[in-house]
Amino acid sequence: GDEGASSTSCVDSSGDTIKLGFLNSTSGAMAISEQTVRDSLSLAAEQINASGGILGKKIEPVVEDGASDPAVFAEKIEKLLTGDCVAAVFGGWTSASRKAMLPVVEADHGLLFYPVQYEGLEASKNIYYTGATTNQQIIPAMDFLKSKGVKTLFLAGSDYVFPRTANKIIKQYAAELGIKIVGEEYVPLDDDDWTTQVAKIVAAKPDFVFNTINGSSNVGFIKAYYEQGLTAKTTPIISVSIAEEEAPAMGKDVTGQYAAWNYFESVESPTNDAFIKAFQDKYGKDRPTSDPMEAAYTSLYLYKNLVEKADSFDVDKINAAADGVSFDAPEGTVTIDGENHHIAKTALIGQINADNQFDVVWSSEKPIEPDPFLKGYAWWDPSAK
Amino acid sequence: MLELRDVTAGYGRTRVLEGVSLHVPEGGAVAVMGHNGAGKTTLLRVAVGLLPVMRGQVLLDGEDVTRLRPNKRVARGLGYVPQGQLSFPHMTTLENLQLVSTQLSAIDGVLDTFPALRDLLGRRAGLLSGGQRQQLAIARTLLTNPRMLILDEPTEGIQPNVVAEIEGVIAALTARGDLSVLLVEQHVGFALRSTDAYYVLESGRVTSSGAGGPGALDAVRTAMAV
Amino acid sequence: MDAFTTPLLAGTATGALLLIAALGLALTFGQMGVINMAHGEFLMAGAYTTYLTQQVVTDTDLSILLALPVAFLVAGSLGLLLEVAIIQWMYRRPLDTLLVTVGVSLLLQQLAKDLFGAQGDPVHTPGWLDGNVDVLGYHWPYRQMFTIVLAVAALAALGALLKYTSYGRRIRATVQNRDLAETMGVSTRTVDRVTFFVGSGLAGIGGVAVSLISGTNPNLGTTYIISAFLVVVAGGLGQLKGTVIAAFTVGVVTAYFTDWFSSSMAQVLTFALVVVFLQLRPQGLFTVRTRGLA
Amino acid sequence: MNDDYLEVRGVCVDFDGFRAIDDVDLTLLQGRLHFLIGPNGAGKTTLVDAVTGLVPASGLIRYRNQDLLRTKPHRIVRSGIGRTFQTATVFEGLSVLQNLDIAGGIHRRAWRMGLARRGTPSYVEEALETIGLTDLRERPAGVLAHGQKQWLEIGMLLVQDARVMLLDEPVAGMSAEEREQTGDLLRRIGSERTIVVIEHDMEFVRSYADVVTVMHAGKVLAEGTVAEIQADPRVQEVYLGRTAEEADHA
Amino acid sequence: MKQLQTWGRTWGPLLGIALIAIALLVVAPAVLSPFRLNNLGKYVCWAIAGVGIGLAWGRGGMLVMGQGVFFGLGGYAMAMHLKLEAAMATGGPDAVPDFMVLYGDGTMPGWWEPFRSGAFTLTAIVVLPALVATVLGWAIFKRRVRGAYFAILTQALAVAFATLLVATIKQTGGFNGLNQFTQFFGYNLYDPANKRMIYSIAATVLVVCLVVVWQLYRSRFGELLVATRDAEERVRFLGHDPANIKLVAFVLAAVMASIGGALFAPITGIISPSDVDATASIFLIAGVALGGRALLLGPALGALAVGFGRTALSESFPDQWTYFLGLLFIVVILFFPAGLGSVGSQVRSRLRALPSPPRRTRTTPAAPADELEVVR
Ligand SMILES: Nc1ncnc2c1ncn2[C@@H]1O[C@H](COP(=O)(O)OP(=O)(O)OP(=O)(O)O)[C@@H](O)[C@H]1O
Ligand SMILES: Nc1ncnc2c1ncn2[C@@H]1O[C@H](COP(=O)(O)OP(=O)(O)OP(=O)(O)O)[C@@H](O)[C@H]1O
Ligand SMILES: NC(N)=O
Ligand SMILES: [Mg+2]
Ligand SMILES: [Mg+2]
């Protein structure tokens, strides 16, 4: 789009409140995941308001349902930006929803904060990505596998963009690392039946399985896996979408398996303790916290810091001030890269214990600088077959 | 036995019956006659409970059954043979009968009345010829052991010698004295032979009524010629 | 060898699951003509019932067995409620039931989400279903065998109900001609309610089996509903025999396609196959003919 | 003899092993009222079904040098053969007028189907008059009484201008006067058509039949005038019964 | 009086169409914000598909549960062109869409190639669905598949179509669908004036479709279609092959859905499997049912209402709106089987039929006998 040229912002920052849009799917298939993001956004807003707001203005959330439908996301973000004149929008989960919102947020010259790990290869001036890009999650996970001496790897994923692209990267990196890919299987999002694919894993006998399945389909996968006699002992799995929210639904079947994230509820830090306590005080003791929730929570605080550094709600001023803005997040300190609008994050590998919590077994030494286009990785060739 | 008091009924907005009253005494047999579209079928549907009344009452054994569902009326001894050779097309002849009663002796009894059905027991009713279906329909209703039998043009589409058969059956049943009959028939001669009172229906109103028997033939013909 | 046995055995289990879901539909749709799009949500109700039963009776070995009759009752009651509140007014316009029940399905999904949260809840596999047996290279899970047993049992029970009791005739009579059935002394109201109760209850049983695969979640029903309908249609309306053959065929064929191509393509190809099949046998596997133009 | 006659030769119809029509020969000539009678289940309706392509049959059925057994039902209709049904079947959602009007559709060019009807075509008006439903012309056909539907079906045949009319029990359920009206109507329109009537009411048959064919168990049992038929002991046995002489339905 | 009635019956509907035209083409652009107008444009696309559904379902009795397939054919055809336009604008005449580089190997399948041409695309939007519908319809109707079989079959097609799209990520963008267009036949898509133009095109198309079905409904073909709906087999004995009659309606409905989809892509800026799958198809149906499937204006107004309702409800009750939506389905179908468009006449007839209203809702004629009936 032609940035900013034609659209003049209608954001009204003259009063003592500032409107922010929360756009998550609270109906449809993705509600399972996105509701949690909504919850932590609400928590963050409450906290910020309690401590004086942003630039002294209370946040006034305008919530919308993305209905798990990319076209609805496109419609709603336009409504939020041009109808409600929100200063920024927080939300989206699937890459489909982000891709649908991207042209709108660019055309309207608004801001979107996207809280989920994704497949990278994207950087928009109007989007801040507070989840991991591939070099902060997938590539470290591969490094971890290499360190474990893994020789053969099986790829299992949902049949959509994120897993497909992630696996393209994994395959190229695996070649570099000398890890052999012995199988690659996809199942449509929300399909529970993994029996046949798991049988193929049984037959292929890989050292490890790299799991890029999204959402509830993980339950079917893990159960089928366990049923056919595969365990963390025989053939461990490393997942990039199973978090504290999902793990309980799989019970003991998932115990001992690994997951790569940038945050776990088990992360030990005072900020995290405070985050967990606040969250559970608000939503109940039984509610776990997880990476996307934390990233969403962080995104609102990052926005606060951005605005306060820029001393303005203006998009251009915020972007100009972005580089180096940081926040002491539950996962540790995160810092915005002004160039690509991603944030530096520490990569963690956790192992799921009997309480469905994740014991950190590996960690990158320091926050990894975001590299959405993998420019720093010589083995990466985007147009390879 | 069965009484309709000042019944008004119809479909949607259109009224088909206007203040019709009719009485079938215990053990009696009554014929209803009238032209196409006069409302004969509508009258019977009201009596059986398939069509709600807009006004008026239906009484069975002196009791108001206006709000009673058809199957409850059947349980109280009402039997109904609808017009149009209706059956359950995907069920066999035997199953059509078994729906009402599974007693072998009872089924055997009605099969004696309609022997042509014996060969068709295993055939689906939807495959039967029109006349075969009509025989089945009457047989099925007789199985419900009615005390009050309501027949809507039972001989329509039936071969002559079976018509005679049916006439004989009705005669035999009424002769027993414990069965009342309400008969809609186009064959006036047959109707009057089989009943002891008649009503003529014209555009939803009773225009003439009287005692039955062959003697009424001329009266009915005149009434219907209007 | 396992390239042959795996899809066969796994597909049979999938077919069994489809069969349980489809059996209920064979009753409510095949026999009564009601296109109940909320049937999937009755499945979901069965799954949540299993979860709740496990919360109350923590001995998983026992709780699954307990969940079966409870799920039948819960889903059956939901079906009964649906019949009494809505469907009973709609028997004369079967295609419209489809749209009404889409609304019901939306309501139930939202309700489940509000009651149990958007996240799935765990259902634990009992110890006696833990494990598998090696059949020619396929580690056939006990759970899959259990599903097959469950389906066969449900089939036998339903078959007996339809064949050996007068209820079977009553239900068929009612759907073929309501008024006539009523005047033959059949209480069509009772028949309708019983049928809906039993048909929906079967979905509840299916829900128990499904919960062992995927736990619970509010969208669980949507996964199965269209395949289940397709099975009933391919099998021929009102024909249990056809439903059984169609369910297992679809299950096994999909498994082979999945093995050869991919899960997505398998779905596409299976749907395509059913379409082609209906070309050959437009009214399903087993056709009931009548005369005339009706 | 012109070629405007319907020829049935050696026709058989089988249903899963049951032979409903068994080697039937018939020649139906124009200008005569031809009656088809016989016991319930004799195969009368099935024969009409075979002629109109509703059930598969073997043998030969020919009309104007056209082999009907190899012709689809709607093409058979287009060649001038029309029928009614034992259970009257009309288009319940359309008005009486529309029912009649669309029956005339085969005589219109396809592209004219896209045009609206303007007024009432004269032949539809005539048909309405003939079947006595003029007053009910705007009524949906679904609400007509049993007999009215049967008339409407006949009216549709009139509008179709069928050269051969096969009427399956057209007067069943009609009162004596109505039968008479219908019979007279058939006689009037029958002079330049081939009309076959299936009927059980012997009085009606007596009054209007030129030729009667009796079917029994899928075969032709007898053929001739009414008098010949009534005298035939086999017909009396299987069909008329002991009431043969006094078969006086009113 | 009588004359006035006849006049009203003939020209009243046209007056209704004219009112809709004025509302959409004159009033709406004047009073709505660009965003709301764009939203309305989206509903208009659904309404165009809805008009076709009214024809096939309301008049023809074919419950087309898979119109998403045709909506998608048009939508994807248009989106492919827009995607190529966007690519060519920055990358020259041989450029390929961005996602093919991201998820694939950067080569474009051959069947994308012709969609570089705008003329080809416009032709394809009409011809493609017509072809597919003809082949499909021919097979289905000749084999006399109908009623519930037909409904479920078409629904399965929508599922299969959406799954196929998801499975062919490298060719169709998969679950993401196609988006990030920049221009529409040379016009900048983010210029408000151009957006208004596209909206006007959509509104005009809707009005044209309404006029087309208006003429169809009053034509003899329209009567024959109703006849086919009510007693399909009987139509044979009027000398028509019902399969052909249904085919015409089915193909027309498919083309309308396709055009609706084609306009949907530039208006919303995206087309993805979730716009064409079984659920999306059911929403198309829902609008038609709500407005009154057998009425002339019902389907279009119903589709607009459902579109508006989804937006309004989800904006006002973002967490509870599916309850309302579910209830809407139930209440409308249960109490107004002929659609909200018929509420007036229904109430009137109720009042007149007093004092004893029917115990059961029997205001519509009984379902066509063959909805579930199995014929040889
Ligand atoms: N379901 C219906 N809806 C509206 N009107 C109806 C309905 N059924 C019948 N009618 C109308 O009611 C009137 C009486 O019909 P009914 O069937 O009672 O007549 P009938 O005397 O039995 O005629 P027939 O001798 O032809 O059987 C007719 O004018 C008919 O058009
Ligand atoms: N599709 C079919 N399958 C099996 N049997 C059939 C089928 N159609 C007709 N029959 C049988 O063929 C025989 C002839 O039936 P048909 O309807 O031709 O008799 P009909 O002479 O018209 O009798 P009616 O006077 O009672 O109408 C009957 O015994 C009927 O049961
Ligand atoms: N970005 C993801 N996980 O879809
Ligand atoms: Mg009658
Ligand atoms: Mg016959």
Side-chain angles (χ1 to χ4, degrees), chain B residues 36 129 153 156-157 159 161 186, chain D residues 40-41 146 169 173 178 239 250:
Chain B
N36 265 328
S129 81
E153 309 204 16
E156 185 184 327
Q159 66 192 76
N161 50 356
Q186 293 292 3
Chain D
N40 295 131
H146 194 66
E169 307 199 17
E178 290 162 345
Y239 187 60

Side-chain angles (χ1 to χ4, degrees), chain C residues 12-89:
Chain C
T12 307
T14 312
L17 207 58
L18 276 180
L19 178 59
I20 306 180
L23 277 182
L25 287 181
L27 267 185
T28 55
F29 175 46
Q31 303 281 354
M32 303 177 72
V34 174
I35 308 175
N36 179 17
M37 297 302 282
H39 193 76
E41 276 60 51
F42 295 161
L43 219 74
M44 172 193 81
Y48 275 110
T49 305
T50 317
Y51 161 71
L52 288 178
T53 311
Q54 291 195 338
Q55 297 305 106
V56 178
V57 181
T58 40
D59 179 356
T60 35
D61 284 0
L62 206 73
S63 55
I64 282 290
L65 293 178
L66 211 64
L68 286 171
V70 179
F72 184 83
L73 284 178
V74 168
S77 308
L78 280 175
L80 192 61
L81 193 69
L82 176 67
E83 203 281 339
V84 172
I86 297 175
I87 302 291
Q88 68 157 315
W89 312 104

Side-chain angles (χ1 to χ4, degrees), chain A residues 26 28-29 31-32 36 159 186-188 191-193 195 197 199-200 202 216 219-220 223 226-229 245 248-249 252, chain C residues 2 6 10 14 113 118-120 122-123 125 130-132 138-139 141 143-144 212-214 217 219 258-259 263-264 267:
Chain A
T26 47
I32 284 183
T36 65
D159 199 351
Y186 298 93
V187 161
D191 194 323
D192 294 326
D193 190 358
T195 316
Q197 289 79 5
K200 288 190 176 177
V202 172
S216 60
V219 182
K223 286 205 170 231
Y226 188 79
E227 255 178 24
Q228 294 189 29
E245 277 292 345
K252 66 180 188 329
Chain C
D2 53 342
T6 302
T14 312
K113 221 188 78 191
Q119 281 69 39
V123 169
T125 312
D130 238 342
N132 57 60
Y138 176 50
H139 297 225
R143 197 266 314 153
Q144 289 192 347
L212 290 173
I213 298 180
S214 55
N217 70 66
N219 302 307
T258 305
D259 193 41
S263 223
S264 313
Q267 285 183 13

Side-chain angles (χ1 to χ4, degrees), chain E residues 1-375:
Chain E
M1 185 62 204
K2 179 113 190 180
Q3 243 168 356
L4 198 68
Q5 258 178 9
T6 332
W7 186 91
R9 214 174 304 145
T10 317
W11 301 105
L14 267 194
L15 194 69
I17 295 177
L19 287 178
I20 290 182
I22 292 171
L24 288 180
L25 285 162
V26 181
V27 180
V31 302
L32 292 182
S33 72
F35 164 65
R36 289 298 171 196
L37 192 68
N38 203 50
N39 265 356
L40 182 60
K42 177 162 112 174
Y43 317 149
V44 166
C45 297
W46 288 329
I48 295 170
V51 172
I53 294 174
L55 174 67
W57 180 35
R59 297 288 163 138
M62 295 165 268
L63 180 44
V64 281
M65 301 245 298
Q67 282 313 80
V69 173
F70 301 111
F71 195 82
L73 283 179
Y76 271 86
M78 177 65 89
M80 282 159 68
H81 176 66
L82 299 184
K83 205 75 195 136
L84 287 166
E85 253 195 287
M88 291 189 296
T90 52
D94 292 326
V96 309
D98 50 4
F99 74 90
M100 292 188 182
V101 182
L102 286 185
Y103 325 135
D105 51 20
T107 56
M108 191 171 80
W111 51 270
W112 269 72
E113 213 51 63
F115 287 90
R116 290 189 196 274
S117 148
F120 176 88
T121 305
L122 292 182
T123 315
I125 285 165
V126 174
V127 173
L128 201 63
L131 271 181
V132 174
T134 305
V135 172
L136 215 73
W138 189 264
I140 291 177
F141 300 135
K142 284 287 172 191
R143 298 298 293 152
R144 306 188 191 179
V145 175
R146 58 177 164 243
Y149 284 91
F150 178 83
I152 287 170
L153 202 62
T154 50
Q155 185 177 38
L157 279 172
V159 175
F161 182 63
T163 312
L164 186 66
L165 287 172
V166 170
T168 51
I169 180 169
K170 288 173 188 162
Q171 291 86 41
T172 66
F175 186 85
N176 276 11
L178 300 175
N179 52 25
Q180 284 170 301
F181 319 127
T182 55
Q183 14 189 322
F184 179 76
F185 294 83
Y187 294 94
N188 181 341
L189 249 183
Y190 294 99
D191 182 339
N194 294 340
K195 287 198 132 176
R196 183 152 344 132
M197 173 193 73
I198 300 173
Y199 164 81
S200 305
I201 295 175
T204 309
V205 167
L206 175 60
V207 172
V208 170
C209 286
L210 284 173
V211 173
V212 167
V213 294
W214 168 74
Q215 173 57 25
L216 269 183
Y217 287 0
R218 62 198 285 271
S219 74
R220 286 189 154 109
F221 172 81
E223 290 177 355
L224 199 54
L225 188 61
V226 172
T228 310
R229 174 190 76 193
D230 290 350
E232 178 169 340
E233 290 303 311
R234 182 66 174 85
V235 167
R236 285 181 209 284
F237 297 93
L238 297 183
H240 300 286
D241 186 346
N244 295 339
I245 299 164
K246 293 167 84 171
L247 193 62
V248 171
F250 185 60
V251 169
L252 271 174
V255 170
M256 288 187 193
S258 175
I259 294 175
L263 290 163
F264 181 89
I267 286 179
T268 57
I270 180 171
I271 185 102
S272 78
S274 52
D275 300 316
V276 307
D277 64 8
T279 313
S281 303
I282 282 181
F283 271 107
L284 289 177
I285 295 272
V288 177
L290 180 85
R293 66 183 96 145
L295 306 174
L296 173 68
L297 305 179
L301 293 178
L304 292 175
V306 163
F308 175 77
R310 277 170 85 173
T311 302
L313 284 176
S314 72
E315 281 176 9
S316 316
F317 313 96
D319 295 321
Q320 259 68 49
W321 72 285
T322 30
Y323 283 124
F324 291 98
L325 199 69
L327 278 176
L328 190 75
F329 268 87
I330 296 168
V331 169
V332 169
I333 306 284
L334 195 55
F335 295 108
F336 307 104
L340 286 179
S342 69
V343 169
S345 59
Q346 222 173 303
V347 170
R348 251 177 281 132
S349 74
R350 281 278 173 100
L351 288 178
R352 239 172 276 173
L354 289 174
S356 166
R359 275 182 301 170
R360 289 192 174 201
T361 322
R362 275 182 200 155
T363 36
T364 39
D370 65 330
E371 275 193 0
L372 294 151
E373 194 53 91
V374 181
V375 183

Side-chain angles (χ1 to χ4, degrees), chain B residues 91-172:
Chain B
M91 290 161 66
T92 63
T93 302
L94 183 61
E95 285 173 322
N96 264 273
L97 296 172
Q98 284 174 331
L99 177 69
V100 178
S101 162
T102 43
Q103 274 184 333
L104 278 183
S105 57
I107 292 183
D108 226 41
V110 295
L111 287 179
D112 285 342
T113 314
F114 298 102
L117 293 180
R118 267 195 208 281
D119 293 336
L120 303 168
L121 285 178
R123 193 172 298 173
R124 269 195 295 278
L127 302 178
L128 298 182
S129 81
Q132 292 167 338
R133 279 203 309 273
Q134 184 66 357
Q135 298 185 27
L136 171 60
I138 300 172
R140 201 176 44 212
T141 302
L142 289 180
L143 264 185
T144 64
N145 257 324
R147 292 183 300 120
M148 167 83 232
L149 187 60
I150 300 182
L151 301 141
D152 197 349
E153 309 204 16
T155 64
E156 185 184 327
I158 302 236
Q159 66 192 76
N161 50 356
V162 178
V163 171
E165 187 80 29
I166 292 172
E167 191 176 332
V169 170
I170 294 175

